[in-house]
Amino acid sequence: MNFKSLANKYVCDVPVYEPGRPIEEVAREMGLDARTIIKLASNENPLGPSPKALIAMRKALATAHLYPDGGGFYLRQGIAKKLGVKIDNIVLGTGSNEIIEFLFHVFVSPGDEVVAGDRAFVIYSIMAKMFQGRCVEVPFKGHTHDLKAMLAAITPRTKLVFVANPNNPTGTRVTDAELDDFVKRLPPHVIAVLDEAYIEFLDDPPPSIKYALERNVIVLRTFSKIVGLAGVRIGYGVAQKECIDLLARVRQPFNTNAIAQAGALAALGDAAHIRKTKALTRRGLAYLYREFTKLGLEFVPSGANFVLVNVGDGDEVFRALQRGGVIVRPMRGYKMPAWIRVTVGTMEENRRFIAALKLALLGK
């Protein structure tokens, strides 16, 4: 049986998203002990999950035989209270990625367009192909979204415009003034999707929640990064009630599990873990910046928990680092073949990465 001949043609053309390589896979391929490998590829929290979340999730396991709260009432209530919005302004997803899929279900039809930066999160373009739409990729200005050019790229067929702020993989942010101008000039038939997976790493975040309550804007956030819950997949969106009601229509029943809901709710109140994570990230970034400067390597100052660095041949350095038991992310898929992206780890992991990078550069 030829399954491809039976499949929808557009599905066969959808590229497969390639995440950061898992430790176990690299260990098998390289013949290494998994315990000696460090993963600095997926922007995970090196401190692990929020301790409060761990306690709550362990407790929730006792009732794992019961279906979760399908509407995630208490978590949505907790998020709403923290942000100063109403519970009707919140939708939950299995990571903010699922909410991106909701948006395509609701607003994008075959032949429609979405606009994104050409070095923004690749899921935007993958999702457009999945829904038989077209992703108009606007070149970055330097390493940052060019919001004026993105506005100019909008046509009558445009439904969504994605702005990741801070952006993955460059770590850059647009200025508040640029974002304000962008939102105000957005045509009424277009929805701005402000993807803020790394927003908690900023000390001066933009007033995006205000935009979400007043304009055609939805803000996406996640518990994967700052509180370390990437493995249980939980995120949320903030928008006007009418938008949230539409997204709820395409959401699968029980899309977020009880363990994730309990952990995320507890993590909302774990200010100590958030402070510790931010402090570790700042120290780590400062260290990496100093070391890159000593090595004469170009890098992009980051507003997130990772940094982009030009190593000349990103693929070769990526492979060399893997052989040394260090996993990073090559950037060829983001049209930056000379670059790698490295997550800030513990200081021990950061130092080991730099030592391995020096050897990799010598071996080029």
Side-chain angles (χ1 to χ4, degrees), residues 116-150:
D118 70 339
R119 278 174 282 164
F121 192 26
V122 71
I123 285 294
Y124 309 145
S125 60
I126 290 177
M127 202 66 68
K129 287 182 180 292
M130 189 183 300
F131 284 82
Q132 303 177 72
R134 175 172 175 253
C135 183
V136 178
E137 296 187 337
V138 177
F140 268 41
K141 190 175 183 179
H143 295 289
T144 311
H145 286 88
D146 187 340
L147 295 186
K148 289 183 178 178
M150 294 176 76

Side-chain angles (χ1 to χ4, degrees), residues 69-88:
D69 175 358
F73 176 84
Y74 291 108
L75 177 54
R76 288 168 60 221
Q77 184 182 62
I79 294 169
K81 182 178 180 181
K82 183 168 184 174
L83 297 180
V85 302
K86 295 181 179 179
I87 191 173
D88 292 338

